[in-house]
Amino acid sequence: MRLLITILLAALVTACAPSQRIEIVPRIGEYRPVQENTIHQYSVRLANNMTTALQSIAPGAKVAVGTFLPPQSLTLKQMTPQQHQIALQLQESFITLYNQMGFSVVEYRTRNSIALRDGGDVMLSREVGQLAARHGIDFFVTGTMTPQQDAYVVNVRMINISNNEVVAAATDYLPNNVLTSADKVHMQNGHIERRAY
């Protein structure tokens, strides 16, 4: 009887823990992106490099994900449009990944109400006055991205809000051309364009 109870408790604890790794495995009939190395796939690599340290995080811990910034200024003001787009996509990818890993992801950009606008209904905002005041966040995921000659060095970290301790971190390289197609020739607006010789 003790053995049965021990086995059941072990199974219950294992089922409640966040899963370990995320893999992108397309199913039959699913859309496959043309570009093999997307920002999301690089985010998967970074998240997987953090999984060992994340095992100590209690199930149900609330996680929020912030925007990735240049380390020298920690602001979006000095970023190029491409860098800004990459930074925001890294944030969005990590929101998805931590949710898929079993964490309780808090979307702190949620407005107090839905805004009905021409062309769409908006629930997210970056205007502080439109956001809820408290979220009960336990951990905050953020990162930096440093431009290099042919790549960005991307550093991501998970910070314990109660003591500012970095509980998990990872670094990887993201190619500068991650937003563009690897094709040398492609069609755009009905015209053939050449990217390289």
Side-chain angles (χ1 to χ4, degrees):
M1 183 66 156
R2 285 185 182 172
L3 179 62
L4 179 61
I5 291 173
T6 304
I7 292 171
L8 287 173
L9 283 174
L12 180 62
V13 168
T14 303
C16 291
S19 60
Q20 295 298 316
R21 298 183 75 75
I22 299 288
E23 293 183 33
I24 298 176
V25 180
R27 295 185 183 113
I28 296 173
E30 283 189 357
Y31 168 77
R32 266 189 89 121
V34 174
Q35 188 174 343
E36 297 264 334
N37 295 317
T38 64
I39 294 173
H40 188 72
Q41 289 169 323
Y42 284 102
S43 300
V44 168
R45 283 183 12 188
L46 283 161
N48 284 337
N49 287 337
M50 296 172 66
T51 56
T52 302
L54 296 178
Q55 292 174 1
S56 63
I57 309 254
K62 292 185 177 182
V63 176
V65 181
T67 307
F68 286 63
L69 301 168
Q72 52 287 45
S73 66
L74 295 178
T75 180
L76 297 170
K77 292 178 183 174
Q78 297 176 353
M79 297 177 92
T80 67
Q82 178 183 4
Q83 291 169 340
H84 189 234
Q85 186 176 0
I86 291 170
L88 294 176
Q89 184 54 52
L90 283 166
Q91 178 183 16
E92 296 299 321
S93 289
F94 273 95
I95 290 170
T96 300
L97 293 170
Y98 280 115
N99 180 271
Q100 291 173 347
M101 292 171 81
F103 290 100
S104 177
V105 178
V106 176
E107 177 55 88
Y108 59 88
R109 299 171 298 173
T110 305
R111 298 167 51 97
N112 289 321
S113 62
I114 299 170
L116 302 176
R117 305 241 169 99
D118 290 342
D121 307 326
V122 181
M123 190 63 191
L124 299 178
S125 176
R126 291 191 183 275
E127 295 178 32
V128 176
Q130 297 178 352
L131 306 179
R134 298 189 180 259
H135 296 286
I137 297 167
D138 299 309
F139 297 93
F140 191 74
V141 176
T142 190
T144 60
M145 48 184 282
T146 306
Q148 302 291 309
Q149 183 174 352
D150 294 328
Y152 296 97
V153 178
V154 178
N155 298 287
V156 60
R157 62 190 61 89
M158 180 180 279
I159 303 166
N160 184 331
I161 295 295
S162 67
N163 60 12
N164 294 334
E165 177 186 0
V166 175
V167 296
T171 299
D172 203 349
Y173 293 89
L174 194 74
N176 283 343
N177 64 354
V178 72
L179 291 177
T180 59
S181 171
D183 296 336
K184 291 182 179 181
V185 178
H186 70 281
M187 291 289 289
Q188 184 171 340
N189 298 328
H191 296 81
I192 296 175
E193 288 193 1
R194 181 179 295 187
R195 295 185 189 268
Y197 294 67

